[in-house]
Every structure is written in C-alpha cells, then in structure tokens.
Amino acid sequence: MAVTAVRNPKVTLNMIERDQTVGLDDHRNLLVGQMLTGTATAGQKIELPRTAAEINAAFGARSHIAMIGRAYRDVNPYTAVDVKPLADAGGATKGTAVLLTAGTATEAKTIFVDVVSSKNHSYEIDVEVGDTEADFSTKLLAKIALDTNVPVTAAKSTATNTDDTHTFTAANGGTICNSWLIRVRDAYGQPASVAGLTFTITGWTGGATDPTLTTILDDLENIRYHGVLWPSAYSTSVVKSWINARFNLDNDIKDGVVFQWVEDTFSNIKTAANAMNSPSFVMMTNETMNTSHWKGPHIPEAPDVLAVRFMAARALRFEEGISISEYVTTNEFNDQFGGIHTCTLPYFNTPIKNVGQPERGAGYTYPEQLELEQAGVSVVGQNLPNNSVISSVMVTTFLNDDAGNEDDTWHYLNWRDTHSVVREYYVNNLREEFAQHRLTSGRAVAGYAIADEPTIRGFCLEMYDNLSDQAITVQGEMSNGTRARKYYDDNLTVLITAEQRKVTLNMITPFVSQLGEIAGSIKFTFDA
C-alpha cells in the first residue's frame, strides 16, 4: 500500500515554454522541367534528392530536369526543393544542332567541342597531323559516349567523301533545347583553328511542342515556395497568374519569386519584361552569341542552369548559420553565414559558380545594361578580369502600378525580399505572442493573457528593434540613435475594435537599402 507523505506548504510550479521570438518559415524552392525514365512519376511532385546519383535515378540522367537539379544541388545541398517533373508532350519534336568537319589536318592541335555546357559537357580532342574528318569523328564520338549525363544523343553521317556531319539531338522533346549552346574552340576560348581541318556549326533549332502546363501547379496550392525555376521556353501565363495571386493573402504567407534566364533579342526581352510587370518575377539575360564558332547563350551554359544557380545561391543565403562565404564578396563577419539579415545584402556581385566564361569583349554594353535594368531585366556576365561570372543589379519586372504610374517599390530584388522578410517576421511573431489572449480597449491586467494598445505597440517596437539589430530595419543615425525608432513609433497605429475581436495595425517601417552607387568629383591641385 502506497504511503503519501505530508507536504506543506503546498507548492506547485508548472513548466511552461520560455518567451522567445520565432524566425521565418523554412526556405523551399520549386523546379519545373522535363524528365525521361526514372523512379519519379511524371506530373507528381517529388522532393529533389541530395546527390547527383539519386537525381539521375529519379528523372533519368540525360533529362532536362536532372540537369537543373544537379546544378541546384551543386550550389545548395541544404534548402528543401520540390520538383514538378513533366513528361514530354505527345508528338513533341526533339531539336538538333550540327557540327560539320571537313579536310585533313596538317598540324597538331587540341580543340574542344562544347555541347549545352562548356563546364560539364566539353570534349577535348587531340588532333594529330594527318587526321581526317573521319579520325576526328571517331575521337569526338568516343568522348561523348563516356558522358552519361549529357542531355543529348550524338550521331555521325558522312555527307560526302570529304566531310562528316555530327548531329546532336536533345534527349527531351520540345522547345527547351532551342537556346542551348554549341561551340568549337581552342583551350583559350578562341575559335578553333586547325590547318587543313575546318569546322562549321549550326545552332540548336527545331524543338517543338512543350508539355501542357495548364494544371501542373494545382496540387501545389498549399505549399509556399520562396523561389521557382520556370523554363523561359515555357509559356508564362500559368505561372504568372499563380505567383501573383500569392502576393498578399488573408491569414497566410505564400509569396515567392519566379526565376528565368531568357535568351532573346534586346528589344524582345524588354517587351517581355514590360508585359510581365510583376514584383514576383526575375528575368535574367545577356547578349546571345551567334558567331561562326559559338551559337547559344552569352555564358556557355544551359539557360535554365544559369537561372537555377542564382536561385540556389539566394536560397543558401537564407539558411540560418550556414556558411555563405563562397557566394558573398563582403568580408564582414556576420555576413559570412546565412540568415534573414541577408535580405538587405546586395545581390549584385554574387558569383555564379561552375559555369564557363563569356568571350572577352562580348555582351551588352554598360548603357545597354542600364537600359535593361531600368526595364526590369537582370544582367549576368563576366567580372573585369574575365575570370568569374557574377550577377549585376538584380531586379524584378515590376515597373508600374495598375494605373500605369511608375513605381519602384519592388523594383530591386533586395527591396522585394526585405519587404517579404519583415512582413513574415511580424506575422509569425504576432501569431506566436498572442496565440491565446484576451483583448481589451482599456488596460491589461497583470498576470493574465490580455492584450491592450500599449502591449501590442510595445511588442511591435520590440520586433522592430530585433530587425534593426540584424541590419534589416533602420537603427537610427549615429548622432541620434532613437530617431528611426521614434519615426516608426510615431507612424504605428494600433486600433482595437473589441466587439469585432480585432486589432488593426498600420506601420511605416524604415528599411535598410543597398549601396549601389558612389558619385562625385575629384579636382587636383599643386598646392598643399
């Protein structure tokens, strides 16, 4: 028989959760593209695996979506990513590119044939004196046969007794291949030149009939995606209406940004950005190459890979505590690790890793880059020494309000991301702090879960201070550290309507911006 001891005085202490602020929802991205045969099921969402081998098994190693997925994981192994793999449309046509070789080499030289990507699918051919086009073909096809990830097949036909034609055919049908790369070069990126042997290329063309896109996003309605890779070859009408509808929702946060690399003419891409006019769309580009030895993107890489590598780097910056030193150029300690503070850190000068270099001197001029930026198009290209690929100013396509008035509220991607971060931080913490509270138009009673105007105002000010400590909201001028906070407090309204169980909050929140330009004049003198 149990004996109960006498316990006096009576003491009961409940264990309850500690008071703390909460952060943002986990970053999640979405990739859309075409698969071949794999363990994934076309049309059904699947989480992107972490390794290249698993990605290949899921979608088929040569598939369009496997190529994109491998590129993403090469940059970012941490962020959760969903994939919407699509089957080729019935009756889709596979595009082709052609390399014609002719003659007999009279010198020894090493050349490279780049197909789709100069980084991942470049084939080094050692040409020897006396090599015919048939000898060259044998060497080229042998190298391609070893590349199990290249998203093409290759075949040779002999057009005449003195030339060989190599046809590269996209593994997937549809238009996704029509802006891919084909290039013949030397080790320095210059046009391939071998005495006695000639090379003639025909760029990618002929891909036709993309998958039906109308309903592919329907089953993703309840998932928030911070970034979406949508191939620019696909029609944007479906994804535009879907992402724009998520911008401001009642009692929910689902906003995100769609990323594309667009291969098109200068005027056409400006027109496309103007028609998009969305704070949730980023179009990236640089001048398309169309020379005798290089046809395809300005940066010798698949366009969708270029877009997804930036998108993956952006997502990495939001991973709390993860090293991002490789993707930022600042040396400040706190900016070497990811977190919400990176929303205000400029995106320009972000390295695009593991891609080939553009041709020196090629690409849009500085005035053209500025014109594209003002038109809502983001330019990516080489740095000054031409030994790295970097992003320029990253902008959304948002140009004007519905009435047609010019509006730069969300022109810069940093401003757009900062606005989203601040909104989400307030929403999540207000929901956490006041999860079960009474509401009074009078004064709160100590020791009870009850909210009044000073309680709510004080909590909002605390959230502002937390964000300012992370370089997101303005902390104040050096001469008057309370100025920005006072401005926020003065412009914060808290209206309690007890009979409706409702608090209405309105706030004007000073955000940290980015240093994008330094201008001035320098005069010299001989007098000290």
Side-chain angles (χ1 to χ4, degrees):
M1 181 176 179
V3 177
T4 303
V6 176
R7 298 182 180 93
N8 288 297
K10 180 181 178 181
V11 177
T12 302
L13 295 176
N14 290 329
M15 291 187 293
I16 60 177
E17 298 90 346
R18 67 185 178 92
D19 293 330
Q20 59 183 326
T21 58
V22 296
L24 309 186
D25 294 341
D26 289 340
H27 216 83
R28 180 172 287 270
N29 284 172
L30 173 67
L31 310 182
V32 177
Q34 288 163 246
M35 66 175 288
L36 295 170
T37 301
T39 57
T41 301
Q44 294 186 10
K45 174 181 68 66
I46 180 176
E47 186 159 340
L48 180 68
R50 304 288 168 158
T51 69
E54 292 171 321
I55 291 170
N56 291 346
F59 309 115
R62 297 183 188 274
S63 69
H64 167 250
I65 194 63
M67 175 177 65
I68 298 170
R70 290 191 300 265
Y72 189 103
R73 285 300 184 213
D74 182 53
V75 175
N76 184 342
Y78 300 100
T79 299
V81 181
D82 287 341
V83 177
K84 197 63 182 290
L86 308 176
D88 288 357
T93 302
K94 297 179 178 181
T96 60
V98 175
L99 166 63
L100 185 146
T101 62
T104 301
T106 59
E107 68 169 329
K109 198 167 188 179
T110 299
I111 69 164
F112 297 80
V113 177
D114 299 342
V115 181
V116 183
S117 166
S118 69
K119 190 71 175 180
N120 297 310
H121 309 301
S122 180
Y123 309 108
E124 181 179 343
I125 311 298
D126 293 322
V127 178
E128 300 173 359
V129 174
D131 276 0
T132 65
E133 67 277 352
D135 296 322
F136 178 85
S137 295
T138 298
K139 294 178 180 180
L140 174 61
L141 293 177
K143 289 292 183 72
I144 295 175
L146 298 174
D147 186 358
T148 57
N149 286 346
V150 64
V152 306
T153 57
K156 183 196 79 168
S157 63
T158 303
T160 71
N161 291 330
T162 58
D163 64 45
D164 279 357
T165 300
H166 309 85
T167 300
F168 304 98
T169 303
N172 283 107
T175 65
I176 52 172
C177 68
N178 288 346
S179 56
W180 282 355
L181 168 75
I182 181 168
R183 178 168 70 151
V184 184
R185 62 178 174 89
D186 65 16
Y188 305 100
Q190 299 303 305
S193 175
V194 179
L197 201 59
T198 62
F199 308 98
T200 305
I201 61 174
T202 302
W204 285 91
T205 188
T209 312
D210 293 319
T212 299
L213 306 169
T214 308
T215 61
I216 68 167
L217 300 173
D218 288 359
D219 62 337
L220 308 178
E221 189 59 36
N222 293 323
I223 306 173
R224 195 250 180 114
Y225 294 108
H226 296 76
V228 178
L229 186 283
W230 186 269
S232 63
Y234 294 172
S235 168
T236 57
S237 58
V238 170
V239 72
K240 177 183 178 180
S241 60
W242 180 78
I243 198 70
N244 284 351
R246 293 174 158 234
F247 195 68
N248 283 317
L249 297 175
D250 288 343
N251 197 35
D252 204 355
I253 295 178
K254 285 201 175 77
D255 63 291
V257 178
V258 175
F259 291 88
Q260 292 185 326
W261 181 283
V262 182
E263 285 291 303
D264 212 331
T265 64
F266 186 83
S267 59
N268 282 352
I269 193 171
K270 285 177 57 180
T271 299
N274 183 70
M276 186 60 65
N277 190 37
S278 169
S280 303
F281 236 89
V282 170
M283 290 183 172
M284 305 160 65
T285 196
N286 207 322
E287 189 172 30
T288 301
M289 297 292 290
N290 186 18
T291 67
S292 62
H293 75 290
W294 184 336
K295 297 186 186 297
H298 171 76
I299 300 167
E301 183 57 74
D304 296 331
V305 168
L306 294 170
V308 85
R309 283 187 174 275
F310 177 82
M311 189 177 87
R314 170 181 176 258
L316 190 68
R317 296 189 357 159
F318 283 97
E319 291 293 333
E320 188 72 37
I322 297 299
S323 174
I324 58 173
S325 293
E326 191 176 7
Y327 291 97
V328 296
T329 54
T330 177
N331 293 323
E332 292 299 326
F333 300 122
N334 291 335
D335 288 325
Q336 305 308 305
F337 297 90
I340 64 173
H341 61 281
T342 61
C343 67
T344 53
L345 186 68
Y347 285 121
F348 56 75
N349 293 332
T350 297
I352 310 298
K353 297 285 188 176
N354 292 333
V355 298
Q357 285 301 121
E359 188 169 276
R360 186 180 293 276
Y364 287 124
T365 65
Y366 182 62
E368 288 171 330
Q369 292 178 37
L370 289 181
E371 188 174 340
L372 286 168
E373 178 189 323
Q374 292 164 2
V377 181
S378 305
V379 176
V380 175
Q382 70 254 44
N383 62 359
L384 281 174
N386 196 28
N387 57 15
S388 179
V389 174
I390 58 175
S391 60
S392 185
V393 178
M394 299 301 296
V395 295
T396 75
T397 61
F398 184 72
L399 301 173
N400 55 263
D401 61 21
D402 291 338
N405 303 304
E406 289 188 11
D407 189 341
D408 67 356
T409 303
W410 300 296
H411 178 66
Y412 298 102
L413 180 58
N414 278 114
W415 289 2
R416 166 67 172 80
D417 280 352
T418 301
H419 207 161
S420 181
V421 163
V422 172
R423 186 266 298 266
E424 184 177 352
Y425 190 79
Y426 272 96
V427 167
N428 288 354
N429 280 286
L430 285 166
R431 186 175 285 132
E432 171 75 11
E433 177 70 11
F434 300 106
Q436 190 177 39
H437 269 63
R438 304 170 181 85
L439 179 65
T440 179
S441 57
R443 285 289 177 260
V445 182
Y448 294 91
I450 182 169
D452 59 2
E453 193 274 346
T455 301
I456 297 169
R457 176 178 293 275
F459 185 75
C460 288
L461 285 165
E462 180 184 345
M463 294 302 97
Y464 180 90
D465 291 340
N466 290 345
L467 291 170
S468 68
D469 288 341
Q470 299 180 76
I472 297 173
T473 55
V474 179
Q475 196 162 53
E477 296 178 352
M478 293 296 293
S479 60
N480 184 355
T482 63
R483 179 173 175 179
R485 191 178 191 276
K486 184 177 185 305
Y487 176 89
Y488 173 77
D489 192 14
D490 289 345
N491 287 279
L492 172 64
T493 61
V494 181
L495 176 62
I496 292 176
T497 313
E499 64 271 22
Q500 296 179 7
R501 308 183 307 150
K502 183 177 181 180
V503 176
T504 302
L505 287 177
N506 292 301
M507 60 185 80
I508 301 177
T509 310
F511 290 172
V512 170
S513 186
Q514 298 79 44
L515 176 56
E517 181 177 359
I518 299 173
S521 302
I522 299 176
K523 180 189 292 187
F524 73 85
T525 181
F526 295 107
D527 297 324

